[in-house]
Amino acid sequence: MTWVKPSWAWMISGYSFKDPGQERILAIKMTHSNFRQLLLQASVTGHGNVLTAEDKARPVRVQWDPERSVRLEMLPYRSIQIGISGEVSVKWVEEWVESIEDVTEMARGLKKVLDEEANVGEEELIRRGLVPTERMYELDEELRAILKMDER
């Protein structure tokens, strides 16, 4: 299963130093329409959620983990993690991915600045191009129900 972490803070967790098998950080772009198609095939896992046979047959897994700040501190809300398997993984790679950008050096540059400038603010990090501006992704009722967003 391939795991996608749409949050910059989750993507940089470990700043590419954590695991020798995860040395690169890639920013992957896809259309909202294709992202929606991906999520429509999801079942929610984790946090005591028991998967039914129907859930297990779905090719996409979603888990909700506490969001992190750019300093990797836990925040009081959750961020989506998306696992893609089987034929959907192939479709995602071959058809739905619009572009891929290696942002490893950006993440390492962020870590360097945070290590050297303890009081630097997030706005300054954005201005320096070390943190992207992230927007909330609004979902319709159908996706909110599939992703169990209103059960929290």
Side-chain angles (χ1 to χ4, degrees), residues 43-54:
S43 61
V44 177
T45 65
H47 306 290
N49 189 37
V50 178
L51 294 180
T52 65
E54 182 182 336

Side-chain angles (χ1 to χ4, degrees), residues 4-151:
V4 178
K5 300 177 180 195
S7 158
W8 171 245
W10 265 105
M11 199 167 71
I12 64 169
S13 177
Y15 301 99
S16 78
F17 300 116
K18 186 171 150 184
D19 183 328
Q22 298 178 5
E23 297 169 343
R24 307 308 298 172
I25 300 169
L26 305 176
I28 297 171
K29 292 187 181 179
M30 61 189 300
T31 66
H32 285 265
S33 174
N34 289 337
F35 189 61
R36 184 176 193 285
Q37 288 303 311
L38 184 69
L39 295 177
L40 284 171
Q41 301 176 69
S43 61
V44 177
T45 65
H47 306 290
N49 189 37
V50 178
L51 294 180
T52 65
E54 182 182 336
D55 290 334
K56 290 177 184 176
R58 292 178 167 265
V60 178
R61 298 284 185 271
V62 162
Q63 64 186 43
W64 294 97
D65 294 322
E67 178 61 293
R68 304 289 175 171
S69 72
V70 294
R71 290 175 173 80
L72 305 182
E73 300 156 329
M74 192 181 304
L75 297 174
Y77 53 93
R78 295 193 174 269
S79 182
I80 194 170
Q81 315 293 321
I82 306 164
I84 309 168
S85 66
E87 292 178 15
V88 174
S89 181
V90 173
K91 184 174 191 82
W92 179 67
V93 169
E94 294 180 356
E95 298 177 30
W96 289 350
V97 170
E98 299 285 316
S99 66
I100 300 173
E101 178 184 359
D102 186 335
V103 292
T104 307
E105 293 310 314
M106 180 178 168
R108 290 178 178 174
L110 171 62
K111 179 170 179 17
K112 184 177 188 299
V113 168
L114 292 174
D115 287 347
E116 294 173 359
E117 301 174 42
N119 295 323
V120 67
E122 192 164 331
E123 291 300 317
E124 176 61 17
L125 295 169
I126 291 170
R127 189 190 69 71
R128 292 185 195 183
L130 296 171
V131 174
T133 302
E134 293 182 312
R135 298 181 315 258
M136 188 170 300
Y137 186 76
E138 297 296 331
L139 300 175
D140 58 42
E141 292 304 313
E142 179 183 23
L143 276 176
R144 291 185 70 80
I146 289 169
L147 300 176
K148 300 183 179 187
M149 293 179 70
D150 296 322
E151 295 180 18

